[in-house]
Amino acid sequence: MQVKNALVHAKSKEMNADLPVGSQYLLVELHEMVASDPKMKDLMREQEATYISALGKHHEKKSAGVWSNDIAAAHDVVATMDRIVKELDNLRVQTGVYATLFVIHGHINDTVQSAMHGTDNSEDFWEDVYEHPMADFLRQYEQWVCT
């Protein structure tokens, strides 16, 4: 693990602890805070090790959680995804809106299968505009989420 990531994790815990999800600081803002925080510059090796250890424990906790390999959670995701897809398709028929949905597992060992859906012909948007099929974006999103 890199010290930079560990420092951003520590700053996130410090700054976002009491904030509701929609009001939390963005990653870019946290990077700027770390860069401008004099307490996070010129650290001793022991201090760096402490930050890295805290991030390591956080990763271990996430990967050992029930959600990381719980088959019941995977079934719940599939059932919920089915309901959402039906709702989006109904909205398309009733109101004319277009929608694209990506559902990605949050950990590399999840049993949840990543999925995507586009109402009507909205899946064509990705290939027409970006010259890549929607599935390519799904794979990139999976890689981003799991790193």
Side-chain angles (χ1 to χ4, degrees):
M1 286 183 211
Q2 294 183 0
V3 175
K4 184 177 177 182
N5 292 340
L7 293 175
V8 170
H9 172 74
K11 185 58 75 175
S12 175
K13 288 186 72 163
E14 172 191 340
M15 301 303 296
N16 290 329
D18 297 327
L19 298 176
V21 173
S23 302
Q24 293 180 344
Y25 290 96
L26 300 173
L27 186 59
V28 173
E29 295 170 318
L30 293 167
H31 277 280
E32 291 171 2
M33 289 179 205
V34 167
S36 64
D37 188 341
K39 294 183 293 185
M40 293 188 155
K41 293 182 181 180
D42 301 321
L43 297 173
M44 304 292 268
R45 285 191 184 264
E46 298 82 25
Q47 292 170 307
E48 289 179 354
T50 301
Y51 283 117
I52 290 171
S53 175
L55 179 57
K57 288 177 184 174
H58 173 74
H59 282 187
E60 287 173 21
K61 184 177 169 184
K62 280 181 64 176
S63 65
V66 174
W67 57 267
S68 69
N69 56 14
D70 188 1
I71 293 172
H75 289 293
D76 189 34
V77 170
V78 169
T80 302
M81 173 84 174
D82 287 343
R83 286 194 311 271
I84 292 170
V85 165
K86 286 177 186 172
E87 289 293 329
L88 290 174
D89 287 341
N90 288 338
L91 276 173
R92 172 69 187 126
V93 170
Q94 295 169 1
T95 66
V97 300
Y98 285 79
T100 298
L101 172 67
F102 290 104
V103 176
I104 309 298
H105 52 85
H107 186 275
I108 198 162
N109 293 327
D110 271 356
T111 55
V112 173
Q113 178 67 39
S114 295
M116 61 187 178
H117 178 73
T119 59
D120 197 35
N121 65 341
S122 64
E123 289 184 19
D124 296 341
F125 164 82
W126 301 93
E127 195 158 349
D128 292 347
V129 174
Y130 295 107
E131 298 179 351
H132 289 281
M134 194 169 148
D136 287 355
F137 292 93
L138 178 76
R139 280 189 292 279
Q140 289 178 352
Y141 194 26
E142 276 182 315
Q143 291 172 354
W144 179 81
V145 167
C146 290
T147 56

